[in-house]
Amino acid sequence: MINMNDRTYNGWTNYQTWRVNLEMFDGQTPEGFDLDQEANDLGHDLRDYAEEYIIETSREGLARDYALSFMADVNWYEIAKNMKEACT
């Protein structure tokens, strides 16, 4: 039986979390991020980095708005926790 409420994707909270981690952080050396801080705080830093990247590399308009909206559903804590675990 398929659980229609299950939104997980490839072991991640949802598609958005999986995709942002894959495209922006997976396999990257986390330079400039303080991995000694709590995962919640690191998650905020990762979100800020990703949002700034989108703003700096795209023009104002619908596509940018959709990209930033997509980010609202990302589980930044999960990405940060995964990053911290991979670097220890």
Side-chain angles (χ1 to χ4, degrees), residues 50-52 54-55 63-73:
E51 288 177 354
E52 189 64 32
I54 289 171
I55 290 168
R64 180 192 285 181
D65 292 344
Y66 273 113
L68 292 172
S69 178
F70 183 85
M71 305 278 258
D73 291 326

Side-chain angles (χ1 to χ4, degrees), residues 12 17-28 79:
W12 292 85
T17 304
W18 171 79
R19 184 68 186 262
V20 167
N21 181 68
L22 177 68
E23 299 292 339
M24 299 195 82
F25 302 112
D26 190 40
Q28 301 291 326
I79 293 174

Side-chain angles (χ1 to χ4, degrees), residues 33-67:
F33 296 110
D34 179 7
L35 297 178
D36 292 328
Q37 64 183 323
E38 296 294 324
N40 194 47
D41 294 330
L42 177 58
H44 289 296
D45 290 348
L46 296 174
R47 182 193 65 218
D48 291 345
Y49 169 83
E51 288 177 354
E52 189 64 32
Y53 179 83
I54 289 171
I55 290 168
E56 288 181 3
T57 61
S58 62
R59 290 185 280 166
E60 287 185 36
L62 186 61
R64 180 192 285 181
D65 292 344
Y66 273 113

